[in-house]
RNA sequence: GGAGGGAUGGGUGAGUGGACGAAACCGCCGGUCUUGAAAACCGGUGAGCCGCAGGGCUCCGUGGGUUCAAAUCCCACUCCCUCCGCCA
């Protein structure tokens, strides 16, 4: 949520920044509603004041002149009725204003380039794409042949685009998850979290999925709960309505959850294999920081996510998203994209964002400055560290051999106790 | 699922219709004392809206209601705790 005061004090400036992200955005209705709200508020305040004064007089009049008392009582009844009417209109205007404000996305940071999704800036490329003297196989083919995935039976039990990891596939997936969580906890100073996988409506308003992106969420209407689409939603609500001490900051959490997304729409080739699933696994990193530190924290966060890829020896690149490509709640986003040889392109496995005070404002998450003064909103950052269904796909494709086996990177070979997937003795 | 209890400021917690934005304690800030710190003592210290300001207004889980007037009375809901039942 944007700061209404900031909008009011510089509407043109705010609008210009918003339009870098979406040229169709408009502030007119919000400004008009704000104006109306303030007028109504003044009227209600004034009626209230008169009522408060009358009440005091009435209390002091006890046992006094009955006629005077009677007259005052009649006057007070009118006042109460007027106030009630004004309050009702005020409530309507406030509701409308709130709804419109909740629909506005965050302002892009000045360091974010203008442009469309396709115009993102590749900041650096790490490692080299592996060279194959044979046509690299698709991870789906590799996984099927090696008995790592059973997509057909997943389709039978659940439907298309749900993964079923089996055998060594299940072991590999779990090993990756556990290894990433340990890496962030032990080496990067994160507190590990296993949050609930469902959350209530309020939580998704705070994180920004609602009201605009409800279509993406799986909804359980009997209990009014939603399935977690990313642990960001949960972690952004951990300290909702709290006033933290500055000395506690930064708070850094690493959560593992499955992620559930309806992915309404079609995505062509991405629907094949593990690229775009309704359910995938992700270790999510989240920071609560003071505003002054949040952009330094973004760089650190990207580094923590990158460590996963470099330690696995994967080829990937780092991109800065343009204003039009930013997620709704983000002021600046840096993506990590891993190379999938069979597709001949890079796919996002991590998206690291600074949401500044956008989520903090929605969730009323503040901290008390050490130097004294009023509580201020914290800045929140999130990033995948990283999403594993795609990581799994990249490991298979980048490490395949001519026989269709997978030579595991040393880190994973140690975790699984074997160097090659598909070698003799591999349970099928 | 059944029965009961509860929700008050950064924290604990008192407060059952009119001077209550709210006792007390803790925490935090400032001061006295001290070479310095601690302790002790003194003072200050909730959040937000409107206004240039004086100032006004709101907020005691959420939403409604009663009343001239609600933290306080009534209704509904949410969450937490205890006990019983069921269950991995």
């Amino acid at each position: 949520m944007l700061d209404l005061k900031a909008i009011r004090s510089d509407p043109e400036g705010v609008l210009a920044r918003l339009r870098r992200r979406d040229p169709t955005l408009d502030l007119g209705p919000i400004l008009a509603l704000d104006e109306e709200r303030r007028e109504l508020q003044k009227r209600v305040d004034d009626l209230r004041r008169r009522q408060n004064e009358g009440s005091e007089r009435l209390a002091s009049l006890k046992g006094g002149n009955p006629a005077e008392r009677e007259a005052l009582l009649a006057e007070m009844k009118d006042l109460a009725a007027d106030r009630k009417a004004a309050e009702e209109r005020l409530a309507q205007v406030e509701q409308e204003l709130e709804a419109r404000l909740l629909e506005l996305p965050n302002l892009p940071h000045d360091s974010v380039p203008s442009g469309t999704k396709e115009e993102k800036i590749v900041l650096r490329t790490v490692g080299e794409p592996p060279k194959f003297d044979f046509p690299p196989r698709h991870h789906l083919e590799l996984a099927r042949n090696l008995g790592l995935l059973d997509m057909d039976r997943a389709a039978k039990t659940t439907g298309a685009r749900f993964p079923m990891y089996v055998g060594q596939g299940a072991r590999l997936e779990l090993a990756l998850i556990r290894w990433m969580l340990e890496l962030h906890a032990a080496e990067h100073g994160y507190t590990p979290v296993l949050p609930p996988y469902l959350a209530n409506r309020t939580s998704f308003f705070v994180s920004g999925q609602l009201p605009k992106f409800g279509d993406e969420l799986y909804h359980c209407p009997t209990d009014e709960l939603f399935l977690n689409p990313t642990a960001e939603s949960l972690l952004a609500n951990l300290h909702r309505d709290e006033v933290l001490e500055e000395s506690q900051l930064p708070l850094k959490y690493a959560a593992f959850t499955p992620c559930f997304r309806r992915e309404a729409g079609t995505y062509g080739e991405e629907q094949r294999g593990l690229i775009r699933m309704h359910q995938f696994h992700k270790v999510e990193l989240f920071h609560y920081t003071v505003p002054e530190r949040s952009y330094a924290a973004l760089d650190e966060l990207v580094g923590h996510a990158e460590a996963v890829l470099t330690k696995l020896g994967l080829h990937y690149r780092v991109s800065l998203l343009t204003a039009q490509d930013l997620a709704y709640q983000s002021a600046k986003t840096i993506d990590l994209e891993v190379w999938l040889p069979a597709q001949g392109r890079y796919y996002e496995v991590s998206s690291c964002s600074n949401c500044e005070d956008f989520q903090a404002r929605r969730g009323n998450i503040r901290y008390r400055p050490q130097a004294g003064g009023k509580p201020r909103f914290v800045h929140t950052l999130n990033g995948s560290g990283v999403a594993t269904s795609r990581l799994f796909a990249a490991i298979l494709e980048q490490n395949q051999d001519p026989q269709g086996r997978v030579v595991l990177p040393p880190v994973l070979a140690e975790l699984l106790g074997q160097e090659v997937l598909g070698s003799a003795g591999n349970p099928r």
Side-chain angles (χ1 to χ4, degrees), chain A residues 124-137:
Chain A
R124 57 183 178 274
T125 302
V126 179
E128 293 294 324
K131 300 254 186 299
F132 301 102
D133 46 16
F134 55 91
R137 294 183 171 88

Side-chain angles (χ1 to χ4, degrees), chain A residues 257-428:
Chain A
T257 65
C259 300
F260 301 94
R261 298 186 183 180
R262 294 191 54 244
E263 299 289 1
T266 52
Y267 296 88
E269 195 206 0
E270 293 186 13
Q271 295 194 69
R272 233 185 121 218
L274 294 175
I275 305 299
R276 192 172 289 275
M277 299 266 103
H278 289 306
Q279 178 185 326
F280 61 96
H281 297 144
K282 184 152 67 76
V283 170
E284 179 77 3
L285 306 176
F286 201 93
H287 291 210
Y288 291 84
T289 75
V290 295
E292 292 73 18
R293 283 263 317 138
S294 68
Y295 279 93
L298 180 61
D299 291 337
E300 288 166 23
L301 185 55
V302 170
H304 296 153
E306 274 192 82
V308 170
L309 303 180
T310 52
K311 280 175 192 284
L312 291 173
L314 292 167
H315 168 58
Y316 66 96
R317 68 181 191 187
V318 183
S319 303
L320 173 62
L321 299 194
T322 57
Q324 291 182 40
D325 198 18
L326 287 177
Y328 179 73
Q329 65 272 30
S330 173
K332 180 173 183 175
T333 297
I334 291 171
D335 275 2
L336 304 186
E337 299 169 296
V338 75
W339 174 250
L340 288 190
Q343 277 81 177
R345 57 164 282 193
Y346 295 89
Y347 275 101
E348 176 192 325
V349 286
S350 177
S351 193
C352 302
S353 299
N354 186 355
C355 296
E356 298 188 358
D357 64 4
F358 189 82
Q359 291 174 327
R361 206 173 278 284
R362 291 178 165 225
N364 193 29
I365 310 162
R366 293 168 298 170
Y367 73 98
R368 197 173 295 287
Q370 219 138 40
K374 304 243 166 192
R376 303 169 68 200
F377 289 114
V378 299
H379 279 194
T380 60
L381 298 97
N382 66 81
S384 342
V386 301
T388 161
S389 310
R390 287 182 186 173
L391 184 66
F392 187 100
I395 289 167
L396 298 195
E397 291 196 14
Q398 287 198 27
N399 294 292
Q400 59 183 299
D401 72 5
Q403 287 75 44
R405 301 177 305 183
V406 174
V407 182
L408 291 171
V411 171
L412 291 177
E414 191 177 333
L415 285 171
L416 289 189
Q418 71 187 81
E419 287 174 6
V420 178
L421 289 181
S423 58
N426 189 17
R428 289 287 303 269

Side-chain angles (χ1 to χ4, degrees), chain A residues 4-17 27 31:
Chain A
L4 188 55
K5 272 188 195 163
I7 295 176
R8 195 189 301 143
S9 69
D10 181 20
E12 289 83 15
V14 170
L15 187 60
R17 292 180 68 190
L27 289 176
L31 291 167

